């Protein structure tokens, strides 16, 4: 993420009426949506493979590909979160965000 992108998302993490909201940089949002659209297509393909009775090993390979793609989405989102939300909250004095982030990482690696 460029310095310009980081600066353009200042204070983009906020709480609105009991829900958290983020205005991600458009470039990041578009990348996430594009990846998820491809994954959605892969999942539909797997469903079709199951319906057609495709050999289990071939289906499992496609499932592994989807899992890998989802890890890529998580990595991109995590990077954006670190450069924006986490940094912004620490700069504003909210160090509780570190514990929140550690809990999220723990859930991700289970």
């Amino acid at each position: 993420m460029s310095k310009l992108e980081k600066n353009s998302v200042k204070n983009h993490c906020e709480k609105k009426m009991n829900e958290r909201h983020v205005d991600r940089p458009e470039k990041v949002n578009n990348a996430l949506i594009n990846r998820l659209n491809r994954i959605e297509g892969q999942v539909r393909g797997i469903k079709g493979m199951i319906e057609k009775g495709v050999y289990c090993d071939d289906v499992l390979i496609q499932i592994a590909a989807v899992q890998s793609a989802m890890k890529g989405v998580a990595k991109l989102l995590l990077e954006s979160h670190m450069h924006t939300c986490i940094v912004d909250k620490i700069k504003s004095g909210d160090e509780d965000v570190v514990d929140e982030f550690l809990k999220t990482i723990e859930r991700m690696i289970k």
Side-chain angles (χ1 to χ4, degrees), residues 2-103:
S2 72
K3 199 172 200 175
L4 178 60
E5 288 171 324
K6 288 179 197 173
N7 290 334
S8 70
V9 293
K10 280 279 188 213
N11 300 320
H12 70 286
C13 297
E14 56 189 61
K15 196 166 189 171
K16 292 182 179 180
M17 295 178 58
N18 298 326
E19 68 178 53
R20 296 186 292 183
H21 178 76
V22 61
D23 292 320
R24 268 179 222 90
E26 187 176 348
K27 185 177 179 180
V28 173
N29 237 21
N30 289 341
L32 290 167
I33 290 168
N34 288 337
R35 286 174 183 232
L36 289 167
N37 285 337
R38 283 194 303 271
I39 292 166
E40 185 178 22
Q42 285 178 291
V43 171
R44 280 193 307 271
I46 292 169
K47 180 182 176 190
M49 292 172 79
I50 297 290
E51 291 170 345
K52 292 175 187 170
V54 173
Y55 187 63
C56 297
D57 191 54
D58 296 335
V59 176
L60 290 168
I61 289 168
Q62 291 305 309
I63 290 171
V66 168
Q67 290 171 328
S68 178
M70 284 300 295
K71 287 179 185 178
V73 170
K75 181 181 175 193
L76 179 60
L77 187 57
L78 182 63
E79 180 181 319
S80 174
H81 186 53
M82 288 292 295
H83 284 294
T84 56
C85 300
I86 302 295
V87 170
D88 288 349
K89 286 185 177 191
I90 288 173
K91 283 181 179 178
S92 72
D94 180 3
E95 293 187 13
D96 291 338
V97 72
V98 174
D99 291 331
E100 175 188 76
F101 184 69
L102 290 172
K103 287 177 187 174

